[in-house]
Amino acid sequence: MINLEGKEVAMAHREKIKREIEEQGIEAGLAVILVGDDPASKSYVASKEKACREAGIRSIVFQLKKETSEEEVLKKIEELNLDASITGILVQIPLPDHIDENRVVEKIDPWKDVDGLHPFNFGKLFMGNSVVEPCTPKGIIHVLDHYKIDLAGKNAVVLGRSNIVGKPIAALLLQRNATVTICHSKTKNLKELSLSADILVAAIGKPLFVTAEMVKEGAVVIDVGINRIEDKTKLSGYRVVGDVDFESVSRKASAITPVPGGVGLLTIAMLLDNTLTLARIQQAKAA
Ligand code: NDP
């Protein structure tokens, strides 16, 4: 069984980005908007900020109160769209319920959309003509490529259909000639479908949901889930687990990503990658 370690792959990619930024004198500036004080979101934003700093990307975090109105968020995005020193904009999702995520994402200048979620970028992704791809799916493909896992003709089953993970990873797997099935909460024969998977991607946000009896012998399993479950033995009172029961599934899978230390680290590396791509485009436009 291969442990698809994200750490080594992600760190190597981050080093490469850092070198390119230095050598090519790229001035990248990432603005991150965080609305509210959800502890998980705050910790993701802190990790993204640190990664930017280490790569030589200037990052500014706008921490807005939970009560901030949708109009105020849209106004902030408009300002950042017009600010030439900002080459990338990221709005940390989820947003509070009173803010429409779609309206927010659509407000971002598509050429500053480092998450690749604007309809322009999402459309290009599905046309196989992407500029930037959503970070988590891009990270998954990156790790599969690194470990030379061939996708052509394979049955790929994606659990989850969110815009941020499920739909875009399905599009990328399809581009790599996998035969793709997308499952969601209304799927009736989920176990049967997941058992048919040569490549199984779990992105549903349910701790340890995928167990060994749902996985085919020799399958490649990608665990996207990041779930906090209570653990009184930890100082923090919780521990982080994926959507996959690693212990049982790793005995059947031919390869599996661990949580933590898998897809999450790749997501951050791909955020830097997208930030660099868009900064380059803007630098070229301004020249
Ligand atoms: P969402 O809540 O947006 O989507 C969850 C999806 O799972 C939905 O499509 C939902 O179906 C489906 N689902 C929920 N329950 C079931 C079920 N019992 N059976 C089948 N499908 C089900 O989640 P995200 O995509 O944003 O995130 C998923 C997980 O990945 C979370 O743990 C999140 O923290 C993690 N994540 C990790 C990232 C990383 O960098 N590693 C990045 C982003 C997310 P329906 O559409 O019908 O409601």
Side-chain angles (χ1 to χ4, degrees):
M1 199 273 305
I2 306 169
N3 208 353
L4 302 172
E5 286 286 351
K7 190 166 184 185
E8 203 183 306
V9 185
M11 293 319 279
H13 200 68
R14 281 167 61 167
E15 275 304 315
K16 178 173 166 277
I17 290 167
K18 184 181 176 192
R19 260 197 321 275
E20 287 179 18
I21 287 176
E22 264 170 26
E23 286 168 10
Q24 297 165 23
I26 292 167
E27 296 206 359
L30 177 67
V32 179
I33 299 179
L34 172 63
V35 189
D37 48 16
D38 172 59
S41 290
K42 276 174 104 168
S43 107
Y44 298 148
V45 167
S47 306
K48 289 170 184 176
E49 208 185 354
K50 180 168 175 277
C52 281
R53 211 171 35 244
E54 287 171 3
I57 295 170
R58 196 169 57 88
S59 84
I60 311 172
V61 177
F62 295 91
Q63 162 86 69
L64 307 179
K65 289 200 186 86
K66 195 178 165 201
E67 308 76 46
T68 307
S69 69
E70 184 179 296
E71 288 315 310
E72 280 173 272
V73 176
L74 296 177
K75 199 161 153 258
K76 178 47 87 190
I77 294 173
E78 215 163 86
E79 269 171 35
L80 296 168
N81 282 344
L82 296 171
D83 183 341
S85 72
I86 297 296
T87 57
I89 302 171
L90 181 154
V91 179
Q92 185 65 38
I93 284 169
L95 288 164
D97 289 346
H98 65 278
I99 300 178
D100 180 342
E101 270 178 24
N102 287 338
R103 280 195 74 197
V104 166
V105 167
E106 285 175 31
K107 192 73 180 174
I108 299 172
D109 176 346
W111 296 102
K112 295 191 177 186
D113 169 34
V114 288
D115 256 343
L117 295 173
H118 186 283
F120 172 82
N121 288 315
F122 219 64
K124 283 180 85 64
L125 168 73
F126 276 79
M127 291 169 83
N129 182 27
S130 54
V131 180
V132 285
E133 291 153 358
C135 305
T136 302
K138 183 172 174 167
I140 294 172
I141 296 295
H142 189 83
V143 78
L144 291 170
D145 281 351
H146 178 85
Y147 285 95
K148 301 194 172 24
I149 293 170
D150 185 24
L151 299 171
K154 300 281 170 63
N155 278 342
V157 176
V158 178
L159 308 182
R161 58 173 163 181
S162 68
N163 288 341
I164 198 161
V165 190
K167 285 178 200 154
I169 188 58
L172 291 177
L173 290 166
L174 187 61
Q175 268 166 38
R176 296 302 185 94
N177 297 317
T179 303
V180 184
T181 305
I182 308 178
C183 301
H184 47 79
S185 66
K186 307 289 184 294
T187 299
K188 290 208 185 323
N189 51 344
L190 191 125
K191 186 178 168 193
E192 191 185 308
L193 291 167
S194 75
L195 265 173
S196 74
D198 302 308
I199 314 285
L200 181 65
V201 179
I204 60 174
K206 296 262 181 293
L208 314 175
F209 180 89
V210 176
T211 51
E213 57 273 20
M214 296 167 72
V215 176
K216 180 161 95 174
E217 197 73 46
V220 172
V221 179
I222 305 293
D223 189 356
V224 181
I226 301 180
N227 310 291
R228 289 180 175 195
I229 59 169
E230 194 181 291
D231 186 341
K232 293 219 167 82
T233 68
K234 303 274 179 202
L235 211 60
S236 58
Y238 69 85
R239 75 190 157 99
V240 172
V241 298
D243 288 349
V244 175
D245 176 20
F246 185 91
E247 208 187 310
S248 70
V249 172
S250 59
R251 282 188 238 122
K252 265 182 128 178
S254 61
I256 185 168
T257 58
V259 177
V263 174
L265 296 170
L266 289 153
T267 298
I268 292 185
M270 295 305 130
L271 169 68
L272 303 183
D273 194 300
N274 284 350
T275 304
L276 173 59
T277 299
L278 294 180
R280 268 204 190 108
I281 292 174
Q282 278 165 57
Q283 207 153 303
K285 271 189 189 168

